[in-house]
PDB file of all heavy atoms in Angstrom:
ATOM      1  N   LYS A   1     -17.960 -49.486-161.367  1.00 90.00           N
ATOM      2  CA  LYS A   1     -16.711 -48.858-161.653  1.00 90.00           C
ATOM      3  C   LYS A   1     -16.233 -48.081-160.320  1.00 90.00           C
ATOM      4  O   LYS A   1     -15.012 -48.139-159.923  1.00 90.00           O
ATOM      5  CB  LYS A   1     -16.958 -47.770-162.701  1.00 90.00           C
ATOM      6  CG  LYS A   1     -15.755 -47.159-163.185  1.00 90.00           C
ATOM      7  CD  LYS A   1     -16.040 -46.349-164.464  1.00 90.00           C
ATOM      8  CE  LYS A   1     -14.747 -45.820-165.027  1.00 90.00           C
ATOM      9  NZ  LYS A   1     -15.052 -45.037-166.338  1.00 90.00           N
ATOM     10  N   GLN A   2     -17.168 -47.491-159.617  1.00 91.00           N
ATOM     11  CA  GLN A   2     -16.853 -46.831-158.373  1.00 91.00           C
ATOM     12  C   GLN A   2     -16.408 -47.839-157.190  1.00 91.00           C
ATOM     13  O   GLN A   2     -15.425 -47.711-156.457  1.00 91.00           O
ATOM     14  CB  GLN A   2     -18.056 -46.084-157.858  1.00 91.00           C
ATOM     15  CG  GLN A   2     -17.695 -45.191-156.554  1.00 91.00           C
ATOM     16  CD  GLN A   2     -16.689 -44.129-156.846  1.00 91.00           C
ATOM     17  OE1 GLN A   2     -16.762 -43.433-157.790  1.00 91.00           O
ATOM     18  NE2 GLN A   2     -15.700 -44.082-155.889  1.00 91.00           N
ATOM     19  N   LEU A   3     -17.146 -49.010-157.277  1.00 89.00           N
ATOM     20  CA  LEU A   3     -16.768 -50.049-156.206  1.00 89.00           C
ATOM     21  C   LEU A   3     -15.407 -50.573-156.538  1.00 89.00           C
ATOM     22  O   LEU A   3     -14.585 -50.666-155.528  1.00 89.00           O
ATOM     23  CB  LEU A   3     -17.797 -51.210-156.449  1.00 89.00           C
ATOM     24  CG  LEU A   3     -17.574 -52.380-155.484  1.00 89.00           C
ATOM     25  CD1 LEU A   3     -18.475 -52.245-154.304  1.00 89.00           C
ATOM     26  CD2 LEU A   3     -17.931 -53.654-156.284  1.00 89.00           C
ATOM     27  N   SER A   4     -15.059 -50.784-157.750  1.00 90.00           N
ATOM     28  CA  SER A   4     -13.683 -51.196-158.144  1.00 90.00           C
ATOM     29  C   SER A   4     -12.666 -50.253-157.662  1.00 90.00           C
ATOM     30  O   SER A   4     -11.587 -50.544-157.208  1.00 90.00           O
ATOM     31  CB  SER A   4     -13.596 -51.574-159.508  1.00 90.00           C
ATOM     32  OG  SER A   4     -14.597 -52.605-159.921  1.00 90.00           O
ATOM     33  N   SER A   5     -12.931 -48.981-157.972  1.00 92.00           N
ATOM     34  CA  SER A   5     -12.003 -47.960-157.719  1.00 92.00           C
ATOM     35  C   SER A   5     -11.686 -47.796-156.175  1.00 92.00           C
ATOM     36  O   SER A   5     -10.638 -47.705-155.760  1.00 92.00           O
ATOM     37  CB  SER A   5     -12.502 -46.592-158.219  1.00 92.00           C
ATOM     38  OG  SER A   5     -11.690 -45.585-157.831  1.00 92.00           O
ATOM     39  N   ASP A   6     -12.851 -47.836-155.420  1.00 91.00           N
ATOM     40  CA  ASP A   6     -12.666 -47.818-153.936  1.00 91.00           C
ATOM     41  C   ASP A   6     -11.934 -48.936-153.368  1.00 91.00           C
ATOM     42  O   ASP A   6     -10.976 -48.816-152.545  1.00 91.00           O
ATOM     43  CB  ASP A   6     -14.008 -47.767-153.331  1.00 91.00           C
ATOM     44  CG  ASP A   6     -14.804 -46.447-153.576  1.00 91.00           C
ATOM     45  OD1 ASP A   6     -14.149 -45.462-153.917  1.00 91.00           O
ATOM     46  OD2 ASP A   6     -15.908 -46.371-153.286  1.00 91.00           O
ATOM     47  N   LEU A   7     -12.202 -50.127-153.875  1.00 91.00           N
ATOM     48  CA  LEU A   7     -11.473 -51.349-153.371  1.00 91.00           C
ATOM     49  C   LEU A   7     -10.009 -51.262-153.783  1.00 91.00           C
ATOM     50  O   LEU A   7      -9.174 -51.693-152.913  1.00 91.00           O
ATOM     51  CB  LEU A   7     -12.010 -52.632-153.978  1.00 91.00           C
ATOM     52  CG  LEU A   7     -13.379 -53.082-153.416  1.00 91.00           C
ATOM     53  CD1 LEU A   7     -13.924 -54.297-154.234  1.00 91.00           C
ATOM     54  CD2 LEU A   7     -13.175 -53.461-151.931  1.00 91.00           C
ATOM     55  N   GLU A   8      -9.725 -50.812-154.951  1.00 93.00           N
ATOM     56  CA  GLU A   8      -8.337 -50.519-155.337  1.00 93.00           C
ATOM     57  C   GLU A   8      -7.607 -49.646-154.338  1.00 93.00           C
ATOM     58  O   GLU A   8      -6.436 -49.837-153.973  1.00 93.00           O
ATOM     59  CB  GLU A   8      -8.227 -50.156-156.796  1.00 93.00           C
ATOM     60  CG  GLU A   8      -6.852 -49.952-157.288  1.00 93.00           C
ATOM     61  CD  GLU A   8      -6.801 -49.535-158.698  1.00 93.00           C
ATOM     62  OE1 GLU A   8      -7.828 -49.204-159.299  1.00 93.00           O
ATOM     63  OE2 GLU A   8      -5.660 -49.447-159.268  1.00 93.00           O
ATOM     64  N   ALA A   9      -8.277 -48.435-154.049  1.00 92.00           N
ATOM     65  CA  ALA A   9      -7.729 -47.471-153.135  1.00 92.00           C
ATOM     66  C   ALA A   9      -7.394 -48.096-151.767  1.00 92.00           C
ATOM     67  O   ALA A   9      -6.435 -47.745-151.139  1.00 92.00           O
ATOM     68  CB  ALA A   9      -8.631 -46.334-153.120  1.00 92.00           C
ATOM     69  N   TYR A  10      -8.344 -48.811-151.237  1.00 90.00           N
ATOM     70  CA  TYR A  10      -8.301 -49.355-149.884  1.00 90.00           C
ATOM     71  C   TYR A  10      -7.032 -50.367-149.924  1.00 90.00           C
ATOM     72  O   TYR A  10      -6.301 -50.421-148.955  1.00 90.00           O
ATOM     73  CB  TYR A  10      -9.520 -50.216-149.369  1.00 90.00           C
ATOM     74  CG  TYR A  10     -10.725 -49.254-149.323  1.00 90.00           C
ATOM     75  CD1 TYR A  10     -12.037 -49.836-149.428  1.00 90.00           C
ATOM     76  CD2 TYR A  10     -10.504 -47.935-149.066  1.00 90.00           C
ATOM     77  CE1 TYR A  10     -13.059 -48.937-149.231  1.00 90.00           C
ATOM     78  CE2 TYR A  10     -11.562 -47.169-148.881  1.00 90.00           C
ATOM     79  CZ  TYR A  10     -12.929 -47.639-149.014  1.00 90.00           C
ATOM     80  OH  TYR A  10     -14.013 -46.773-148.888  1.00 90.00           O
ATOM     81  N   THR A  11      -6.885 -51.146-150.982  1.00 92.00           N
ATOM     82  CA  THR A  11      -5.885 -52.156-151.036  1.00 92.00           C
ATOM     83  C   THR A  11      -4.526 -51.441-151.203  1.00 92.00           C
ATOM     84  O   THR A  11      -3.539 -51.864-150.390  1.00 92.00           O
ATOM     85  CB  THR A  11      -6.012 -53.070-152.308  1.00 92.00           C
ATOM     86  OG1 THR A  11      -7.285 -53.627-152.213  1.00 92.00           O
ATOM     87  CG2 THR A  11      -4.925 -54.098-152.417  1.00 92.00           C
ATOM     88  N   ILE A  12      -4.382 -50.436-151.990  1.00 93.00           N
ATOM     89  CA  ILE A  12      -3.100 -49.660-152.074  1.00 93.00           C
ATOM     90  C   ILE A  12      -2.787 -48.930-150.842  1.00 93.00           C
ATOM     91  O   ILE A  12      -1.536 -49.011-150.315  1.00 93.00           O
ATOM     92  CB  ILE A  12      -3.240 -48.639-153.261  1.00 93.00           C
ATOM     93  CG1 ILE A  12      -3.212 -49.357-154.585  1.00 93.00           C
ATOM     94  CG2 ILE A  12      -2.067 -47.607-153.242  1.00 93.00           C
ATOM     95  CD1 ILE A  12      -3.611 -48.490-155.759  1.00 93.00           C
ATOM     96  N   HIS A  13      -3.851 -48.492-150.062  1.00 91.00           N
ATOM     97  CA  HIS A  13      -3.553 -47.748-148.855  1.00 91.00           C
ATOM     98  C   HIS A  13      -3.109 -48.797-147.758  1.00 91.00           C
ATOM     99  O   HIS A  13      -2.176 -48.454-146.988  1.00 91.00           O
ATOM    100  CB  HIS A  13      -4.885 -47.129-148.302  1.00 91.00           C
ATOM    101  CG  HIS A  13      -4.688 -46.584-146.936  1.00 91.00           C
ATOM    102  ND1 HIS A  13      -4.036 -45.258-146.808  1.00 91.00           N
ATOM    103  CD2 HIS A  13      -5.056 -46.831-145.760  1.00 91.00           C
ATOM    104  CE1 HIS A  13      -4.095 -44.982-145.559  1.00 91.00           C
ATOM    105  NE2 HIS A  13      -4.704 -45.816-144.952  1.00 91.00           N
ATOM    106  N   ALA A  14      -3.478 -49.985-147.859  1.00 90.00           N
ATOM    107  CA  ALA A  14      -3.024 -51.049-146.906  1.00 90.00           C
ATOM    108  C   ALA A  14      -1.698 -51.606-147.327  1.00 90.00           C
ATOM    109  O   ALA A  14      -1.058 -52.386-146.656  1.00 90.00           O
ATOM    110  CB  ALA A  14      -3.938 -52.116-146.865  1.00 90.00           C
ATOM    111  N   GLY A  15      -1.075 -51.042-148.505  1.00 93.00           N
ATOM    112  CA  GLY A  15       0.254 -51.560-148.957  1.00 93.00           C
ATOM    113  C   GLY A  15       0.314 -52.931-149.564  1.00 93.00           C
ATOM    114  O   GLY A  15       1.188 -53.636-149.508  1.00 93.00           O
ATOM    115  N   ARG A  16      -0.901 -53.333-150.065  1.00 92.00           N
ATOM    116  CA  ARG A  16      -0.996 -54.722-150.733  1.00 92.00           C
ATOM    117  C   ARG A  16      -1.158 -54.472-152.244  1.00 92.00           C
ATOM    118  O   ARG A  16      -1.590 -53.387-152.663  1.00 92.00           O
ATOM    119  CB  ARG A  16      -2.079 -55.446-150.155  1.00 92.00           C
ATOM    120  CG  ARG A  16      -1.727 -55.969-148.650  1.00 92.00           C
ATOM    121  CD  ARG A  16      -2.883 -56.819-148.106  1.00 92.00           C
ATOM    122  NE  ARG A  16      -3.823 -55.917-147.421  1.00 92.00           N
ATOM    123  CZ  ARG A  16      -4.957 -55.662-147.858  1.00 92.00           C
ATOM    124  NH1 ARG A  16      -5.440 -56.200-148.980  1.00 92.00           N
ATOM    125  NH2 ARG A  16      -5.888 -54.875-147.147  1.00 92.00           N
ATOM    126  N   LYS A  17      -1.106 -55.537-152.915  1.00 91.00           N
ATOM    127  CA  LYS A  17      -1.416 -55.626-154.320  1.00 91.00           C
ATOM    128  C   LYS A  17      -2.629 -56.446-154.677  1.00 91.00           C
ATOM    129  O   LYS A  17      -3.107 -56.668-155.904  1.00 91.00           O
ATOM    130  CB  LYS A  17      -0.216 -56.149-155.221  1.00 91.00           C
ATOM    131  CG  LYS A  17       0.871 -55.164-155.125  1.00 91.00           C
ATOM    132  CD  LYS A  17       2.135 -55.575-156.076  1.00 91.00           C
ATOM    133  CE  LYS A  17       3.128 -54.611-155.961  1.00 91.00           C
ATOM    134  NZ  LYS A  17       4.247 -54.945-156.896  1.00 91.00           N
ATOM    135  N   THR A  18      -3.211 -57.161-153.658  1.00 91.00           N
ATOM    136  CA  THR A  18      -4.389 -58.013-153.782  1.00 91.00           C
ATOM    137  C   THR A  18      -5.524 -57.540-152.885  1.00 91.00           C
ATOM    138  O   THR A  18      -5.343 -57.282-151.754  1.00 91.00           O
ATOM    139  CB  THR A  18      -3.969 -59.458-153.469  1.00 91.00           C
ATOM    140  OG1 THR A  18      -2.864 -59.850-154.125  1.00 91.00           O
ATOM    141  CG2 THR A  18      -5.041 -60.468-153.660  1.00 91.00           C
ATOM    142  N   VAL A  19      -6.688 -57.453-153.488  1.00 90.00           N
ATOM    143  CA  VAL A  19      -7.913 -57.074-152.704  1.00 90.00           C
ATOM    144  C   VAL A  19      -8.266 -58.335-151.824  1.00 90.00           C
ATOM    145  O   VAL A  19      -8.362 -59.460-152.272  1.00 90.00           O
ATOM    146  CB  VAL A  19      -9.036 -56.747-153.786  1.00 90.00           C
ATOM    147  CG1 VAL A  19     -10.323 -56.510-152.964  1.00 90.00           C
ATOM    148  CG2 VAL A  19      -8.683 -55.586-154.612  1.00 90.00           C
ATOM    149  N   GLU A  20      -8.534 -57.908-150.651  1.00 89.00           N
ATOM    150  CA  GLU A  20      -8.845 -58.994-149.663  1.00 89.00           C
ATOM    151  C   GLU A  20     -10.234 -58.704-149.058  1.00 89.00           C
ATOM    152  O   GLU A  20     -10.773 -57.615-149.224  1.00 89.00           O
ATOM    153  CB  GLU A  20      -7.687 -59.037-148.443  1.00 89.00           C
ATOM    154  CG  GLU A  20      -6.468 -59.509-149.024  1.00 89.00           C
ATOM    155  CD  GLU A  20      -5.426 -59.544-147.893  1.00 89.00           C
ATOM    156  OE1 GLU A  20      -5.790 -59.239-146.787  1.00 89.00           O
ATOM    157  OE2 GLU A  20      -4.251 -60.113-148.298  1.00 89.00           O
ATOM    158  N   MET A  21     -10.738 -59.680-148.235  1.00 84.00           N
ATOM    159  CA  MET A  21     -11.985 -59.600-147.653  1.00 84.00           C
ATOM    160  C   MET A  21     -12.127 -58.324-146.702  1.00 84.00           C
ATOM    161  O   MET A  21     -13.060 -57.712-146.622  1.00 84.00           O
ATOM    162  CB  MET A  21     -12.316 -60.790-146.823  1.00 84.00           C
ATOM    163  CG  MET A  21     -13.641 -60.929-146.112  1.00 84.00           C
ATOM    164  SD  MET A  21     -14.985 -61.236-147.354  1.00 84.00           S
ATOM    165  CE  MET A  21     -15.088 -62.965-147.044  1.00 84.00           C
ATOM    166  N   ALA A  22     -10.978 -58.060-146.089  1.00 85.00           N
ATOM    167  CA  ALA A  22     -10.917 -56.859-145.178  1.00 85.00           C
ATOM    168  C   ALA A  22     -11.196 -55.590-145.990  1.00 85.00           C
ATOM    169  O   ALA A  22     -11.908 -54.638-145.543  1.00 85.00           O
ATOM    170  CB  ALA A  22      -9.628 -56.741-144.510  1.00 85.00           C
ATOM    171  N   ASP A  23     -10.878 -55.419-147.185  1.00 88.00           N
ATOM    172  CA  ASP A  23     -11.054 -54.258-147.984  1.00 88.00           C
ATOM    173  C   ASP A  23     -12.507 -54.160-148.327  1.00 88.00           C
ATOM    174  O   ASP A  23     -13.095 -53.098-148.257  1.00 88.00           O
ATOM    175  CB  ASP A  23     -10.252 -54.319-149.302  1.00 88.00           C
ATOM    176  CG  ASP A  23      -8.719 -54.485-149.089  1.00 88.00           C
ATOM    177  OD1 ASP A  23      -8.155 -53.823-148.225  1.00 88.00           O
ATOM    178  OD2 ASP A  23      -8.116 -55.265-149.767  1.00 88.00           O
ATOM    179  N   LEU A  24     -13.081 -55.258-148.702  1.00 86.00           N
ATOM    180  CA  LEU A  24     -14.536 -55.273-148.965  1.00 86.00           C
ATOM    181  C   LEU A  24     -15.378 -54.948-147.758  1.00 86.00           C
ATOM    182  O   LEU A  24     -16.287 -54.239-147.784  1.00 86.00           O
ATOM    183  CB  LEU A  24     -14.969 -56.651-149.469  1.00 86.00           C
ATOM    184  CG  LEU A  24     -16.469 -56.813-149.987  1.00 86.00           C
ATOM    185  CD1 LEU A  24     -16.539 -55.812-151.170  1.00 86.00           C
ATOM    186  CD2 LEU A  24     -16.650 -58.181-150.532  1.00 86.00           C
ATOM    187  N   GLU A  25     -14.950 -55.388-146.530  1.00 85.00           N
ATOM    188  CA  GLU A  25     -15.621 -55.096-145.319  1.00 85.00           C
ATOM    189  C   GLU A  25     -15.559 -53.587-144.952  1.00 85.00           C
ATOM    190  O   GLU A  25     -16.525 -53.074-144.581  1.00 85.00           O
ATOM    191  CB  GLU A  25     -15.090 -55.938-144.197  1.00 85.00           C
ATOM    192  CG  GLU A  25     -15.934 -55.840-142.926  1.00 85.00           C
ATOM    193  CD  GLU A  25     -15.728 -56.980-141.945  1.00 85.00           C
ATOM    194  OE1 GLU A  25     -14.871 -57.826-142.154  1.00 85.00           O
ATOM    195  OE2 GLU A  25     -16.447 -56.993-140.832  1.00 85.00           O
ATOM    196  N   VAL A  26     -14.329 -52.987-145.229  1.00 86.00           N
ATOM    197  CA  VAL A  26     -14.188 -51.564-145.056  1.00 86.00           C
ATOM    198  C   VAL A  26     -15.117 -50.768-145.945  1.00 86.00           C
ATOM    199  O   VAL A  26     -15.831 -49.826-145.486  1.00 86.00           O
ATOM    200  CB  VAL A  26     -12.820 -51.120-145.194  1.00 86.00           C
ATOM    201  CG1 VAL A  26     -12.642 -49.570-145.267  1.00 86.00           C
ATOM    202  CG2 VAL A  26     -11.894 -51.646-144.097  1.00 86.00           C
ATOM    203  N   LEU A  27     -15.156 -51.179-147.140  1.00 88.00           N
ATOM    204  CA  LEU A  27     -16.145 -50.577-148.115  1.00 88.00           C
ATOM    205  C   LEU A  27     -17.505 -50.689-147.714  1.00 88.00           C
ATOM    206  O   LEU A  27     -18.229 -49.752-147.707  1.00 88.00           O
ATOM    207  CB  LEU A  27     -15.899 -51.181-149.436  1.00 88.00           C
ATOM    208  CG  LEU A  27     -16.808 -50.605-150.652  1.00 88.00           C
ATOM    209  CD1 LEU A  27     -16.458 -49.251-150.977  1.00 88.00           C
ATOM    210  CD2 LEU A  27     -16.730 -51.551-151.832  1.00 88.00           C
ATOM    211  N   MET A  28     -17.906 -51.895-147.324  1.00 85.00           N
ATOM    212  CA  MET A  28     -19.385 -51.960-146.809  1.00 85.00           C
ATOM    213  C   MET A  28     -19.693 -51.315-145.579  1.00 85.00           C
ATOM    214  O   MET A  28     -20.707 -50.842-145.427  1.00 85.00           O
ATOM    215  CB  MET A  28     -19.630 -53.597-146.808  1.00 85.00           C
ATOM    216  CG  MET A  28     -19.583 -54.215-148.124  1.00 85.00           C
ATOM    217  SD  MET A  28     -19.890 -56.060-148.093  1.00 85.00           S
ATOM    218  CE  MET A  28     -21.595 -56.064-147.991  1.00 85.00           C
ATOM    219  N   ARG A  29     -18.707 -51.116-144.664  1.00 86.00           N
ATOM    220  CA  ARG A  29     -18.893 -50.346-143.535  1.00 86.00           C
ATOM    221  C   ARG A  29     -19.110 -48.844-143.867  1.00 86.00           C
ATOM    222  O   ARG A  29     -19.929 -48.091-143.283  1.00 86.00           O
ATOM    223  CB  ARG A  29     -17.780 -50.460-142.520  1.00 86.00           C
ATOM    224  CG  ARG A  29     -17.767 -51.764-141.809  1.00 86.00           C
ATOM    225  CD  ARG A  29     -16.709 -51.654-140.646  1.00 86.00           C
ATOM    226  NE  ARG A  29     -16.663 -52.980-139.844  1.00 86.00           N
ATOM    227  CZ  ARG A  29     -17.527 -53.225-138.912  1.00 86.00           C
ATOM    228  NH1 ARG A  29     -18.461 -52.396-138.572  1.00 86.00           N
ATOM    229  NH2 ARG A  29     -17.493 -54.331-138.291  1.00 86.00           N
ATOM    230  N   ARG A  30     -18.324 -48.412-144.776  1.00 87.00           N
ATOM    231  CA  ARG A  30     -18.527 -47.058-145.277  1.00 87.00           C
ATOM    232  C   ARG A  30     -19.702 -46.792-145.966  1.00 87.00           C
ATOM    233  O   ARG A  30     -20.307 -45.609-145.907  1.00 87.00           O
ATOM    234  CB  ARG A  30     -17.300 -46.550-146.157  1.00 87.00           C
ATOM    235  CG  ARG A  30     -15.937 -46.651-145.351  1.00 87.00           C
ATOM    236  CD  ARG A  30     -14.898 -45.867-145.884  1.00 87.00           C
ATOM    237  NE  ARG A  30     -15.414 -44.474-146.221  1.00 87.00           N
ATOM    238  CZ  ARG A  30     -14.587 -43.525-146.401  1.00 87.00           C
ATOM    239  NH1 ARG A  30     -13.295 -43.634-146.277  1.00 87.00           N
ATOM    240  NH2 ARG A  30     -14.991 -42.325-146.715  1.00 87.00           N
ATOM    241  N   GLN A  31     -20.314 -47.769-146.611  1.00 84.00           N
ATOM    242  CA  GLN A  31     -21.617 -47.610-147.289  1.00 84.00           C
ATOM    243  C   GLN A  31     -22.729 -47.839-146.325  1.00 84.00           C
ATOM    244  O   GLN A  31     -23.932 -47.664-146.649  1.00 84.00           O
ATOM    245  CB  GLN A  31     -21.664 -48.672-148.385  1.00 84.00           C
ATOM    246  CG  GLN A  31     -20.753 -48.265-149.510  1.00 84.00           C
ATOM    247  CD  GLN A  31     -20.931 -49.391-150.682  1.00 84.00           C
ATOM    248  OE1 GLN A  31     -21.334 -50.434-150.491  1.00 84.00           O
ATOM    249  NE2 GLN A  31     -20.405 -49.073-151.895  1.00 84.00           N
ATOM    250  N   GLY A  32     -22.441 -48.246-145.083  1.00 82.00           N
ATOM    251  CA  GLY A  32     -23.481 -48.429-144.106  1.00 82.00           C
ATOM    252  C   GLY A  32     -24.128 -49.849-144.110  1.00 82.00           C
ATOM    253  O   GLY A  32     -25.070 -50.066-143.516  1.00 82.00           O
ATOM    254  N   LEU A  33     -23.625 -50.725-144.882  1.00 79.00           N
ATOM    255  CA  LEU A  33     -24.190 -52.057-145.065  1.00 79.00           C
ATOM    256  C   LEU A  33     -23.734 -52.978-143.891  1.00 79.00           C
ATOM    257  O   LEU A  33     -24.554 -53.751-143.524  1.00 79.00           O
ATOM    258  CB  LEU A  33     -23.838 -52.669-146.413  1.00 79.00           C
ATOM    259  CG  LEU A  33     -24.335 -51.919-147.714  1.00 79.00           C
ATOM    260  CD1 LEU A  33     -23.674 -52.559-148.901  1.00 79.00           C
ATOM    261  CD2 LEU A  33     -25.813 -51.912-147.835  1.00 79.00           C
ATOM    262  N   VAL A  34     -22.531 -52.842-143.378  1.00 78.00           N
ATOM    263  CA  VAL A  34     -22.052 -53.626-142.370  1.00 78.00           C
ATOM    264  C   VAL A  34     -21.916 -52.667-141.154  1.00 78.00           C
ATOM    265  O   VAL A  34     -21.249 -51.652-141.262  1.00 78.00           O
ATOM    266  CB  VAL A  34     -20.659 -54.125-142.730  1.00 78.00           C
ATOM    267  CG1 VAL A  34     -20.044 -54.950-141.507  1.00 78.00           C
ATOM    268  CG2 VAL A  34     -20.769 -55.201-143.960  1.00 78.00           C
TER     269      VAL A  34
END
């Protein structure tokens, strides 16, 4: 639920309506995985 919410926020912030690989990479960087 948190993952989905974060991805949605990153996508909206980027001005898009579709989640892209870049959003997932930003999320994983923030989590320290990437």
Side-chain angles (χ1 to χ4, degrees):
K1 191 173 186 176
Q2 184 64 48
L3 179 98
S4 302
S5 174
D6 289 347
L7 285 173
E8 183 179 8
Y10 297 154
T11 304
I12 290 169
H13 180 72
R16 289 182 271 107
K17 293 184 178 183
T18 305
V19 176
E20 292 181 0
M21 184 75 96
D23 302 318
L24 189 57
E25 190 164 356
V26 168
L27 177 68
M28 294 179 81
R29 279 190 185 278
R30 295 207 46 164
Q31 291 178 341
L33 298 171
V34 173

